[in-house]
Amino acid sequence: MADAEFQRALRGLTTSASSVKGVATAALSSPRDYKHHVYEIERFVVKSAAEKRLAGLYVIDAIVRGHEKVKDGQVNIYASRFAARMPATIFALKEAPAKDQDKLQRVIDNWLSRKLFQPTDVEPRNPNEAAVEAPAASAPPGSA
């Protein structure tokens, strides 16, 4: 039931505060599904229209901050899970409209000042470049 509510809220996501809060509340109401929620939100940011990507970042922000309030003193499972693929998510945000870039940067700066994410977590990296570079690095010396 909670998963259906989360999916419905994510499909109707806009940058309005009520829409963002609805997705965050649905995600935080079933913390045992946090891996699925993080995956769906990351996928939304990467695959959605460029105009909707800001809303995805707002949801990440709301969930990470909301979990901090709920689980005071415990490890933020959402922050650590989002951090694992955050460089690819930030890279996808580079395609957002120019009018949203200041807002995106403000959220990222806020994360860094609150120490929710490390500076290395929010450096944009193309996930495809890492896959291309890895085989070249593992080639034996002199085989070029």
Side-chain angles (χ1 to χ4, degrees):
M1 176 87 165
D3 189 44
E5 178 186 345
F6 173 77
Q7 289 294 335
R8 189 173 36 258
L10 190 60
R11 276 194 303 271
L13 182 62
T14 65
T15 55
S16 72
S18 62
S19 177
V20 170
K21 186 176 180 181
V23 175
T25 302
L28 291 170
S29 68
S30 57
R32 72 167 189 244
D33 295 329
Y34 77 98
K35 291 178 182 180
H36 174 71
H37 296 152
V38 169
Y39 171 77
E40 289 295 329
I41 293 165
E42 288 173 340
R43 196 171 115 205
F44 175 86
V45 170
V46 171
K47 296 199 179 251
S48 68
E51 297 78 30
K52 290 192 152 210
R53 292 180 183 189
L54 178 62
L57 189 71
Y58 285 167
V59 168
I60 294 171
D61 184 53
I63 290 173
V64 170
R65 287 185 184 193
H67 192 266
E68 285 285 319
K69 292 177 185 173
V70 173
K71 304 291 181 187
D72 191 36
Q74 294 182 0
V75 173
N76 190 330
I77 57 174
Y78 282 98
S80 60
R81 191 70 180 191
F82 277 119
R85 293 194 26 87
M86 187 59 72
T89 305
I90 298 295
F91 183 80
L93 291 170
K94 295 297 180 189
E95 296 176 10
K99 65 181 177 87
D100 291 343
Q101 291 298 323
D102 288 341
K103 296 173 187 173
L104 295 169
Q105 192 58 50
R106 190 176 320 133
V107 171
I108 294 168
D109 291 343
N110 195 329
W111 288 344
L112 294 174
S113 68
R114 291 175 177 255
K115 297 185 180 356
L116 293 174
F117 295 103
Q118 298 300 315
T120 55
D121 294 336
V122 295
E123 289 177 9
R125 284 190 300 256
N126 185 345
N128 297 329
E129 287 179 7
V132 171
E133 292 175 11
S138 63
S143 66

